[in-house]
Amino acid sequence: MAQMTTTPPIADAPASPSGPARVNKPRRGRRSIAASIGLHATMIVASLIAIGPIAWVLLSSFKPGYAVQSSELTLVKDPTLANYEYVLFDTNFPIWFLNSVLVAAFTMLFGIFFSATTGYALSRFNFPGRRSLMMVFLVTQMFPVAILIVPIYTIMANLGLINTLPSLVIAYLTIAVPFCAWMLKGYFDSIPNSLDEAASLDGCGPFRTFWTVILPLARPAIAVTGFYTFLTAWGEVAYASAFIQTDNKFTLAYGMRQFVPQFNPQWEYLTAAAILVTIPAGIVFLFAQKHLVSGLTAGGTKG
């Protein structure tokens, strides 16, 4: 009888080193479809909420007065450029614009200089009264603008600066410099002291070291300082209403109040002027935007 051979049972495949086969799962960090839809819907709603009022002001600036004040909601009704023509050619808007440009430009230039030099001194040097000066800068940020108008007005009156543009520049610097000096100090703290030591070995004094070595590295923080000081002076109205008394010295923010008198508000002219006011601020933002993120986080880490 022929010998029957039996096939040995096939052994189970050895388990993989990583254990039993894993069920395919979504990768970590990858959102589900529902989560993505919810996130994008939230972003769209938030964008509409942010852009909606601006878009409505823009559309209203092209409407005649009766359409702006009408209770009927329409996007564009009888579009016209008459509002812009009136604002630009029949009012002192160009003079207000020039005054605002001068005040904002000088506030930005002096604000950057004072904030940068002060922040560098607080970051690099130990001198008598250093901690007290830092506390003074911090305390000044706790007071609202309304409280400071009276004492600053008294100082400006004693100096004979009432109804002058320099009074506004000085007042705005009192707002911007303490905050910006604190921010720039934090940024300068993140720049290694070894760079200052290397510059001093090459024969650079403190000011030359600051100007040629440290300042170029602080461009993001300088951009934020310039943007902040510009906006502080560009849209401020409280100090302007207290210090300026004649129409030819008005700034834009204060001059635009003439379009909304108590009994006959002219919303069509106000919206047109508001659109024109935002253009310079938008231009400054475009130049500073690439530095804003890194500059706003200046001093968050050190080393």
Side-chain angles (χ1 to χ4, degrees):
M1 173 182 276
Q3 184 177 2
M4 299 181 61
T5 58
T6 59
T7 304
I10 300 176
D12 294 338
S16 62
S18 58
R22 297 181 179 179
V23 179
N24 291 333
K25 295 181 179 180
R27 294 181 181 179
R28 180 177 298 179
R30 178 176 294 180
R31 291 185 298 268
S32 64
I33 297 178
S36 297
I37 294 175
L39 177 62
H40 285 81
T42 303
M43 294 176 63
I44 292 174
V45 172
S47 300
L48 292 177
I49 293 175
I51 299 175
I54 301 175
W56 190 260
V57 171
L58 177 62
L59 294 175
S60 298
S61 67
F62 294 102
K63 298 178 182 180
Y66 68 87
V68 175
Q69 300 182 17
S70 174
S71 59
E72 180 183 359
L73 297 179
T74 57
L75 293 180
V76 179
K77 184 176 182 179
D78 299 331
T80 178
L81 294 175
N83 300 332
Y84 289 92
E85 294 177 359
Y86 176 83
V87 170
L88 291 174
F89 303 111
D90 295 335
T91 68
N92 284 333
F93 185 90
I95 298 177
W96 305 338
F97 185 89
L98 178 61
N99 293 338
S100 291
V101 169
L102 292 175
V103 171
F106 280 103
T107 302
M108 182 173 62
L109 292 176
F110 285 117
I112 291 175
F113 176 78
F114 290 135
S115 301
T117 52
T118 303
Y120 181 74
L122 293 174
S123 173
R124 291 296 194 266
F125 305 112
N126 289 319
F127 52 88
R130 174 177 175 271
R131 296 182 64 87
S132 300
L133 180 61
M134 294 173 61
M135 288 302 300
V136 169
F137 284 168
L138 186 61
V139 170
T140 56
Q141 301 302 301
M142 301 179 184
F143 294 97
V145 173
I147 295 179
L148 300 176
I149 289 179
V150 174
I152 294 179
Y153 181 91
T154 303
I155 295 174
M156 297 302 168
N158 293 332
L159 295 175
L161 295 178
I162 295 299
N163 199 36
T164 63
L165 299 182
S167 65
L168 296 180
V169 175
I170 297 173
Y172 298 151
L173 288 176
T174 63
I175 301 174
V177 169
F179 170 78
C180 294
W182 260 102
M183 182 186 67
L184 287 172
K185 176 193 176 299
Y187 195 91
F188 290 139
D189 287 342
S190 66
I191 299 176
N193 291 334
S194 58
L195 296 178
D196 301 66
E197 298 171 357
S200 63
L201 292 176
D202 290 337
C204 295
F207 185 79
R208 186 178 179 185
T209 299
F210 165 75
W211 184 258
T212 61
V213 178
I214 303 301
L215 199 60
L217 299 176
R219 282 180 297 180
I222 295 298
V224 174
T225 300
F227 186 65
Y228 177 78
T229 52
F230 179 87
L231 289 185
T232 298
W234 188 253
E236 202 279 334
V237 68
Y239 286 117
S241 62
F243 298 163
I244 303 301
Q245 300 172 351
T246 57
D247 186 89
N248 63 334
K249 297 293 181 64
F250 285 171
T251 57
L252 283 174
Y254 185 54
M256 288 170 57
R257 296 177 57 183
Q258 295 189 358
F259 297 136
V260 283
Q262 182 176 2
F263 300 106
N264 185 29
Q266 300 169 317
W267 300 112
E268 65 276 16
Y269 301 141
L270 179 65
T271 54
I275 295 300
L276 295 174
V277 167
T278 60
I279 294 176
I283 294 174
V284 173
F285 175 79
L286 289 178
F287 281 104
Q289 58 147 345
K290 63 180 180 180
H291 298 300
L292 287 180
V293 175
S294 56
L296 288 172
T297 57
T301 58
K302 182 178 180 180

